[in-house]
Amino acid sequence: FEHAWNNLGLAYFGLEEYKKAKNSFQKAISLKDTNTDFYYNLACTYKKMNNKKQAEKILKIYNTLTEEK
């Protein structure tokens, strides 16, 4: 179901419903915390929400995961 949550997040992101997108991406991550796409999408959402600090934190996790692949 994690991909369904990610897809829902993408839909919300496209509608500029960033809080709902954030919640959806976080749910996807809670179900599968090794999928780099989920982290990237969440980081982009935080950036759109003008939360640079949180976006950078999530991007660090993303970078760690991509280096492990």
Side-chain angles (χ1 to χ4, degrees):
F1 292 103
E2 66 272 4
H3 291 286
W5 283 105
N6 185 61
N7 289 339
L8 182 61
L10 291 171
Y12 283 135
F13 188 90
L15 294 171
E16 299 181 2
E17 298 263 354
Y18 300 122
K19 185 175 180 181
K20 290 179 181 178
K22 174 185 68 89
N23 293 338
S24 297
F25 295 135
Q26 288 175 328
K27 181 65 175 177
I29 290 168
S30 76
L31 296 171
K32 185 166 186 178
D33 65 358
T34 57
N35 188 310
T36 55
D37 291 339
F38 302 165
Y39 288 98
Y40 182 81
N41 293 339
L42 181 57
C44 291
T45 303
Y46 277 122
K47 185 175 180 195
K48 286 288 192 178
M49 296 173 76
N50 295 315
N51 190 337
K52 184 179 176 183
K53 186 175 183 178
Q54 195 66 18
E56 289 174 354
K57 178 181 173 184
I58 299 300
L59 280 176
K60 285 181 184 178
I61 298 168
Y62 168 83
N63 288 331
T64 300
L65 289 172
T66 55
E67 289 172 2
E68 291 175 359
K69 286 187 174 183

